[in-house]
């Protein structure tokens, strides 16, 4: 790879990182921002909004907007416990409910 190509590649990565940082500063994301933020395709996000699976706003009936904090909460729903957490909870349950 030539020096010129290496520099261009590094500049592209730097530009991408700056765009990612800008998304983190926004409170309200437009549709394209939300696709980038969630790392999903536009068609998938349209499907999620049409099914009312993801929180969103449609103030004028056409354009879709998203609250970044609500998207974070949506991403973190349905947390799966680790095996260690389940085993600790089971052990605590047995200790607390031990019959004399």
């Amino acid at each position: 790879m030539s020096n010129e190509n290496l520099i261009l590649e590094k500049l592209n990565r730097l530009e991408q990182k700056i765009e990612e940082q800008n998304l983190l500063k926004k409170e309200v994301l437009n549709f394209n921002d939300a696709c980038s933020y969630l790392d999903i395709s536009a068609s998938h996000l349209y499907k999620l909004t049409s099914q009312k699976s993801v929180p969103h706003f449609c103030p004028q009936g056409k354009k879709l907007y998203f609250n970044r904090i609500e998207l974070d909460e949506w991403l973190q729903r349905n947390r799966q416990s680790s095996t260690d957490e389940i085993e600790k909870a089971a052990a605590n349950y047995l200790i607390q409910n031990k019959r004399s």
Side-chain angles (χ1 to χ4, degrees), residues 8-24 36 39:
L8 286 174
E9 184 180 316
K10 287 185 178 190
L11 283 174
N12 285 334
R13 280 188 276 164
L14 185 58
E15 181 181 31
Q16 185 179 7
K17 293 292 180 190
I18 290 170
E19 288 174 9
E20 289 171 5
Q21 288 299 312
N22 286 338
L23 280 181
L24 294 176
S36 296
D39 194 24

PDB file of all heavy atoms in Angstrom, residues 8-24 36 39:
ATOM      1  N   LEU A   8      -4.789   8.396   3.219  1.00  0.00           N
ATOM      2  CA  LEU A   8      -6.214   8.524   2.921  1.00  0.00           C
ATOM      3  C   LEU A   8      -7.049   7.601   3.810  1.00  0.00           C
ATOM      4  O   LEU A   8      -8.113   7.986   4.305  1.00  0.00           O
ATOM      5  CB  LEU A   8      -6.489   8.218   1.448  1.00  0.00           C
ATOM      6  CG  LEU A   8      -6.058   9.300   0.455  1.00  0.00           C
ATOM      7  CD1 LEU A   8      -6.245   8.809  -0.977  1.00  0.00           C
ATOM      8  CD2 LEU A   8      -6.837  10.586   0.688  1.00  0.00           C
ATOM      9  N   GLU A   9      -6.570   6.394   4.020  1.00  0.00           N
ATOM     10  CA  GLU A   9      -7.277   5.441   4.879  1.00  0.00           C
ATOM     11  C   GLU A   9      -7.350   5.961   6.312  1.00  0.00           C
ATOM     12  O   GLU A   9      -8.395   5.901   6.956  1.00  0.00           O
ATOM     13  CB  GLU A   9      -6.570   4.083   4.843  1.00  0.00           C
ATOM     14  CG  GLU A   9      -7.295   3.009   5.628  1.00  0.00           C
ATOM     15  CD  GLU A   9      -6.570   1.675   5.568  1.00  0.00           C
ATOM     16  OE1 GLU A   9      -6.130   1.288   4.468  1.00  0.00           O
ATOM     17  OE2 GLU A   9      -6.446   1.050   6.632  1.00  0.00           O
ATOM     18  N   LYS A  10      -6.245   6.486   6.805  1.00  0.00           N
ATOM     19  CA  LYS A  10      -6.233   7.031   8.165  1.00  0.00           C
ATOM     20  C   LYS A  10      -7.138   8.255   8.281  1.00  0.00           C
ATOM     21  O   LYS A  10      -7.832   8.419   9.287  1.00  0.00           O
ATOM     22  CB  LYS A  10      -4.806   7.371   8.588  1.00  0.00           C
ATOM     23  CG  LYS A  10      -3.973   6.141   8.884  1.00  0.00           C
ATOM     24  CD  LYS A  10      -2.609   6.490   9.416  1.00  0.00           C
ATOM     25  CE  LYS A  10      -1.853   5.202   9.736  1.00  0.00           C
ATOM     26  NZ  LYS A  10      -0.629   5.454  10.462  1.00  0.00           N
ATOM     27  N   LEU A  11      -7.170   9.100   7.265  1.00  0.00           N
ATOM     28  CA  LEU A  11      -8.057  10.262   7.273  1.00  0.00           C
ATOM     29  C   LEU A  11      -9.528   9.831   7.272  1.00  0.00           C
ATOM     30  O   LEU A  11     -10.354  10.423   7.971  1.00  0.00           O
ATOM     31  CB  LEU A  11      -7.771  11.162   6.071  1.00  0.00           C
ATOM     32  CG  LEU A  11      -6.541  12.047   6.167  1.00  0.00           C
ATOM     33  CD1 LEU A  11      -6.296  12.779   4.848  1.00  0.00           C
ATOM     34  CD2 LEU A  11      -6.671  13.049   7.294  1.00  0.00           C
ATOM     35  N   ASN A  12      -9.843   8.796   6.512  1.00  0.00           N
ATOM     36  CA  ASN A  12     -11.219   8.279   6.494  1.00  0.00           C
ATOM     37  C   ASN A  12     -11.626   7.742   7.856  1.00  0.00           C
ATOM     38  O   ASN A  12     -12.746   7.980   8.317  1.00  0.00           O
ATOM     39  CB  ASN A  12     -11.378   7.191   5.431  1.00  0.00           C
ATOM     40  CG  ASN A  12     -11.425   7.756   4.023  1.00  0.00           C
ATOM     41  OD1 ASN A  12     -11.802   8.903   3.829  1.00  0.00           O
ATOM     42  ND2 ASN A  12     -11.048   6.942   3.049  1.00  0.00           N
ATOM     43  N   ARG A  13     -10.725   7.018   8.513  1.00  0.00           N
ATOM     44  CA  ARG A  13     -11.021   6.501   9.853  1.00  0.00           C
ATOM     45  C   ARG A  13     -11.201   7.645  10.849  1.00  0.00           C
ATOM     46  O   ARG A  13     -12.080   7.600  11.703  1.00  0.00           O
ATOM     47  CB  ARG A  13      -9.935   5.536  10.321  1.00  0.00           C
ATOM     48  CG  ARG A  13     -10.111   4.136   9.731  1.00  0.00           C
ATOM     49  CD  ARG A  13      -9.150   3.171  10.353  1.00  0.00           C
ATOM     50  NE  ARG A  13      -7.897   3.323   9.605  1.00  0.00           N
ATOM     51  CZ  ARG A  13      -6.720   2.888   9.994  1.00  0.00           C
ATOM     52  NH1 ARG A  13      -6.588   2.283  11.141  1.00  0.00           N
ATOM     53  NH2 ARG A  13      -5.649   3.051   9.254  1.00  0.00           N
ATOM     54  N   LEU A  14     -10.368   8.666  10.731  1.00  0.00           N
ATOM     55  CA  LEU A  14     -10.462   9.830  11.613  1.00  0.00           C
ATOM     56  C   LEU A  14     -11.790  10.556  11.402  1.00  0.00           C
ATOM     57  O   LEU A  14     -12.459  10.935  12.373  1.00  0.00           O
ATOM     58  CB  LEU A  14      -9.280  10.773  11.350  1.00  0.00           C
ATOM     59  CG  LEU A  14      -9.141  11.984  12.252  1.00  0.00           C
ATOM     60  CD1 LEU A  14      -9.026  11.574  13.709  1.00  0.00           C
ATOM     61  CD2 LEU A  14      -7.921  12.797  11.847  1.00  0.00           C
ATOM     62  N   GLU A  15     -12.200  10.712  10.152  1.00  0.00           N
ATOM     63  CA  GLU A  15     -13.471  11.352   9.846  1.00  0.00           C
ATOM     64  C   GLU A  15     -14.633  10.554  10.440  1.00  0.00           C
ATOM     65  O   GLU A  15     -15.571  11.123  11.013  1.00  0.00           O
ATOM     66  CB  GLU A  15     -13.640  11.467   8.330  1.00  0.00           C
ATOM     67  CG  GLU A  15     -14.928  12.139   7.906  1.00  0.00           C
ATOM     68  CD  GLU A  15     -15.071  12.208   6.401  1.00  0.00           C
ATOM     69  OE1 GLU A  15     -14.561  11.309   5.697  1.00  0.00           O
ATOM     70  OE2 GLU A  15     -15.708  13.160   5.934  1.00  0.00           O
ATOM     71  N   GLN A  16     -14.560   9.247  10.346  1.00  0.00           N
ATOM     72  CA  GLN A  16     -15.611   8.380  10.896  1.00  0.00           C
ATOM     73  C   GLN A  16     -15.689   8.527  12.411  1.00  0.00           C
ATOM     74  O   GLN A  16     -16.770   8.610  12.982  1.00  0.00           O
ATOM     75  CB  GLN A  16     -15.344   6.924  10.507  1.00  0.00           C
ATOM     76  CG  GLN A  16     -16.433   5.977  10.932  1.00  0.00           C
ATOM     77  CD  GLN A  16     -16.133   4.543  10.492  1.00  0.00           C
ATOM     78  OE1 GLN A  16     -15.066   4.229   9.994  1.00  0.00           O
ATOM     79  NE2 GLN A  16     -17.103   3.683  10.685  1.00  0.00           N
ATOM     80  N   LYS A  17     -14.546   8.584  13.073  1.00  0.00           N
ATOM     81  CA  LYS A  17     -14.522   8.740  14.538  1.00  0.00           C
ATOM     82  C   LYS A  17     -15.117  10.085  14.948  1.00  0.00           C
ATOM     83  O   LYS A  17     -15.850  10.174  15.934  1.00  0.00           O
ATOM     84  CB  LYS A  17     -13.098   8.615  15.080  1.00  0.00           C
ATOM     85  CG  LYS A  17     -12.502   7.238  14.930  1.00  0.00           C
ATOM     86  CD  LYS A  17     -13.200   6.253  15.819  1.00  0.00           C
ATOM     87  CE  LYS A  17     -12.587   4.880  15.668  1.00  0.00           C
ATOM     88  NZ  LYS A  17     -13.365   3.849  16.322  1.00  0.00           N
ATOM     89  N   ILE A  18     -14.824  11.141  14.193  1.00  0.00           N
ATOM     90  CA  ILE A  18     -15.376  12.469  14.493  1.00  0.00           C
ATOM     91  C   ILE A  18     -16.895  12.446  14.344  1.00  0.00           C
ATOM     92  O   ILE A  18     -17.618  12.994  15.182  1.00  0.00           O
ATOM     93  CB  ILE A  18     -14.727  13.544  13.596  1.00  0.00           C
ATOM     94  CG1 ILE A  18     -13.266  13.744  13.999  1.00  0.00           C
ATOM     95  CG2 ILE A  18     -15.500  14.863  13.674  1.00  0.00           C
ATOM     96  CD1 ILE A  18     -12.460  14.593  13.046  1.00  0.00           C
ATOM     97  N   GLU A  19     -17.399  11.793  13.291  1.00  0.00           N
ATOM     98  CA  GLU A  19     -18.843  11.685  13.086  1.00  0.00           C
ATOM     99  C   GLU A  19     -19.494  10.915  14.234  1.00  0.00           C
ATOM    100  O   GLU A  19     -20.573  11.281  14.705  1.00  0.00           O
ATOM    101  CB  GLU A  19     -19.137  11.008  11.750  1.00  0.00           C
ATOM    102  CG  GLU A  19     -18.850  11.879  10.552  1.00  0.00           C
ATOM    103  CD  GLU A  19     -19.014  11.156   9.217  1.00  0.00           C
ATOM    104  OE1 GLU A  19     -19.518  10.005   9.202  1.00  0.00           O
ATOM    105  OE2 GLU A  19     -18.640  11.743   8.195  1.00  0.00           O
ATOM    106  N   GLU A  20     -18.839   9.850  14.701  1.00  0.00           N
ATOM    107  CA  GLU A  20     -19.368   9.078  15.829  1.00  0.00           C
ATOM    108  C   GLU A  20     -19.430   9.938  17.080  1.00  0.00           C
ATOM    109  O   GLU A  20     -20.411   9.880  17.838  1.00  0.00           O
ATOM    110  CB  GLU A  20     -18.494   7.844  16.080  1.00  0.00           C
ATOM    111  CG  GLU A  20     -18.621   6.774  15.018  1.00  0.00           C
ATOM    112  CD  GLU A  20     -17.599   5.655  15.162  1.00  0.00           C
ATOM    113  OE1 GLU A  20     -16.838   5.639  16.151  1.00  0.00           O
ATOM    114  OE2 GLU A  20     -17.553   4.790  14.269  1.00  0.00           O
ATOM    115  N   GLN A  21     -18.402  10.751  17.330  1.00  0.00           N
ATOM    116  CA  GLN A  21     -18.390  11.635  18.494  1.00  0.00           C
ATOM    117  C   GLN A  21     -19.495  12.682  18.400  1.00  0.00           C
ATOM    118  O   GLN A  21     -20.121  13.018  19.406  1.00  0.00           O
ATOM    119  CB  GLN A  21     -17.019  12.317  18.640  1.00  0.00           C
ATOM    120  CG  GLN A  21     -15.926  11.384  19.095  1.00  0.00           C
ATOM    121  CD  GLN A  21     -16.209  10.784  20.452  1.00  0.00           C
ATOM    122  OE1 GLN A  21     -16.566  11.483  21.389  1.00  0.00           O
ATOM    123  NE2 GLN A  21     -16.061   9.475  20.548  1.00  0.00           N
ATOM    124  N   ASN A  22     -19.746  13.193  17.196  1.00  0.00           N
ATOM    125  CA  ASN A  22     -20.814  14.175  17.010  1.00  0.00           C
ATOM    126  C   ASN A  22     -22.178  13.570  17.317  1.00  0.00           C
ATOM    127  O   ASN A  22     -23.054  14.244  17.865  1.00  0.00           O
ATOM    128  CB  ASN A  22     -20.787  14.751  15.595  1.00  0.00           C
ATOM    129  CG  ASN A  22     -19.650  15.719  15.389  1.00  0.00           C
ATOM    130  OD1 ASN A  22     -19.113  16.294  16.343  1.00  0.00           O
ATOM    131  ND2 ASN A  22     -19.255  15.916  14.139  1.00  0.00           N
ATOM    132  N   LEU A  23     -22.386  12.308  16.970  1.00  0.00           N
ATOM    133  CA  LEU A  23     -23.652  11.641  17.284  1.00  0.00           C
ATOM    134  C   LEU A  23     -23.866  11.564  18.791  1.00  0.00           C
ATOM    135  O   LEU A  23     -24.986  11.695  19.272  1.00  0.00           O
ATOM    136  CB  LEU A  23     -23.681  10.233  16.691  1.00  0.00           C
ATOM    137  CG  LEU A  23     -24.014  10.095  15.217  1.00  0.00           C
ATOM    138  CD1 LEU A  23     -24.011   8.623  14.812  1.00  0.00           C
ATOM    139  CD2 LEU A  23     -25.336  10.733  14.874  1.00  0.00           C
ATOM    140  N   LEU A  24     -22.798  11.346  19.541  1.00  0.00           N
ATOM    141  CA  LEU A  24     -22.906  11.231  20.992  1.00  0.00           C
ATOM    142  C   LEU A  24     -23.251  12.564  21.649  1.00  0.00           C
ATOM    143  O   LEU A  24     -23.738  12.584  22.780  1.00  0.00           O
ATOM    144  CB  LEU A  24     -21.602  10.681  21.581  1.00  0.00           C
ATOM    145  CG  LEU A  24     -21.258   9.250  21.189  1.00  0.00           C
ATOM    146  CD1 LEU A  24     -19.901   8.851  21.759  1.00  0.00           C
ATOM    147  CD2 LEU A  24     -22.335   8.286  21.658  1.00  0.00           C
ATOM    148  N   SER A  36     -27.109   5.134  11.794  1.00  0.00           N
ATOM    149  CA  SER A  36     -25.673   5.066  12.096  1.00  0.00           C
ATOM    150  C   SER A  36     -25.446   4.726  13.559  1.00  0.00           C
ATOM    151  O   SER A  36     -24.612   3.886  13.888  1.00  0.00           O
ATOM    152  CB  SER A  36     -24.994   6.400  11.776  1.00  0.00           C
ATOM    153  OG  SER A  36     -25.055   6.668  10.414  1.00  0.00           O
ATOM    154  N   ASP A  39     -26.359   1.248  14.176  1.00  0.00           N
ATOM    155  CA  ASP A  39     -25.625   0.373  13.262  1.00  0.00           C
ATOM    156  C   ASP A  39     -26.557  -0.649  12.611  1.00  0.00           C
ATOM    157  O   ASP A  39     -26.294  -1.853  12.612  1.00  0.00           O
ATOM    158  CB  ASP A  39     -24.460  -0.320  13.986  1.00  0.00           C
ATOM    159  CG  ASP A  39     -23.473  -0.977  13.025  1.00  0.00           C
ATOM    160  OD1 ASP A  39     -23.408  -0.542  11.851  1.00  0.00           O
ATOM    161  OD2 ASP A  39     -22.784  -1.925  13.430  1.00  0.00           O
TER     162      ASP A  39
END
